[in-house]
Amino acid sequence: MKKEQISTQFYEVNPHTMIIFPKKSGSIVYSEIYEVDSHYTSKFTPFELIKTSCNFFGSSYEGRKEGTKHLIGVTHKPPIIIDPVTSTYVFPTVAPSSTECIWIFPQHIKDYQAIGFNHTLIRFSNLETFEIDMSLASFNNQIARTSMLHMKFSQKMRIMESNFPSMNMFFPPTTLAAESRRFYTTMLPDNEDPKDPEQ
């Protein structure tokens, strides 16, 4: 059944967000947002929504970007942590400032495959599918980077928990373990070059 499209002025990314598309109306760029059970449009650009969502969860986008650089050394099309408590991660398909950039939340991906020339078909956990203008090699690379970011952050949290047990009142170990199990991770095929082919 097709989801009702709901227009909203403000939107905060949440654990149900799957993908955010840029949409154009003349010179205006707005956002089309798909959640597991909902479909929204917003007058703000996808990048604006990502930035305000970072602020909502207690950090600036630049802060999250610096965190990614510190943890995995990635500065080009960096994946970022929107909310560490719910393991809400996102990655851009092209440069974040581009009006063509799509933001994808890999924790909801069921599977994906190459389709046509330099396109990837994504199937989410609710079985919705979307075709995006991105090669499979580049998509694999972004998935791998996000998985690495999640792993490095989880390692840091486990170290903090073991060194400072009082942290458990804020981040119970069972919460982090459950979120880690829920997070979608994948590995590049053995014959894939992990370097971004677009760099």
Side-chain angles (χ1 to χ4, degrees):
M1 184 173 69
K2 187 173 177 62
K3 299 175 185 176
E4 179 184 1
Q5 182 172 299
I6 303 167
S7 180
T8 180
Q9 182 172 5
F10 299 105
Y11 179 84
E12 269 107 25
V13 163
N14 62 74
H16 302 290
T17 311
M18 299 191 309
I19 190 166
I20 303 177
F21 288 97
K23 293 294 179 180
K24 295 180 181 179
S25 178
S27 61
I28 304 299
V29 179
Y30 64 98
S31 295
E32 189 165 18
I33 307 139
Y34 289 87
E35 291 186 354
V36 174
D37 296 311
S38 304
H39 178 198
Y40 300 93
T41 59
S42 169
K43 71 174 187 177
F44 295 101
T45 69
F47 196 21
E48 287 171 334
L49 293 183
I50 293 297
K51 287 179 176 179
T52 57
S53 294
C54 287
N55 291 339
F56 180 78
F57 287 106
S59 176
S60 66
Y61 170 78
E62 290 301 322
R64 294 297 194 208
K65 183 179 175 182
E66 281 298 310
T68 297
K69 179 181 177 181
H70 174 74
L71 288 171
I72 62 173
V74 172
T75 57
H76 175 62
K77 298 191 301 186
I80 62 166
I81 306 171
I82 296 286
D83 177 23
V85 176
T86 59
S87 285
T88 301
Y89 289 65
V90 65
F91 66 78
T93 56
V94 295
S97 58
S98 169
T99 58
E100 305 297 323
C101 185
I102 301 167
W103 293 84
I104 299 172
F105 297 76
Q107 52 267 37
H108 292 293
I109 294 176
K110 182 177 177 64
D111 54 57
Y112 58 92
Q113 64 187 63
I115 183 170
F117 179 71
N118 279 345
H119 282 67
T120 299
L121 182 70
I122 309 168
R123 180 179 290 104
F124 286 96
S125 56
N126 65 354
L127 303 185
E128 280 195 270
T129 59
F130 299 94
E131 181 180 339
I132 63 167
D133 185 6
M134 186 180 196
S135 71
L136 183 62
S138 290
F139 193 86
N140 271 331
N141 193 64
Q142 287 298 81
I143 287 283
R145 285 172 163 180
T146 312
S147 297
M148 180 63 72
L149 177 61
H150 178 264
M151 182 184 73
K152 290 291 188 181
F153 179 77
S154 297
Q155 288 173 346
K156 293 282 188 182
M157 288 302 297
R158 284 194 292 271
I159 291 170
M160 291 292 287
E161 286 172 353
S162 62
N163 291 339
F164 303 97
S166 62
M167 280 187 64
N168 291 342
M169 69 170 56
F170 301 106
F171 297 100
T174 52
T175 299
L176 285 175
E179 293 303 333
S180 293
R181 286 194 297 272
R182 278 218 307 263
F183 188 81
Y184 180 91
T185 58
T186 189
M187 296 297 291
L188 284 172
D190 292 339
N191 61 348
E192 286 283 359
D193 182 353
K195 183 178 180 182
D196 189 342
E198 294 181 358
Q199 281 190 345

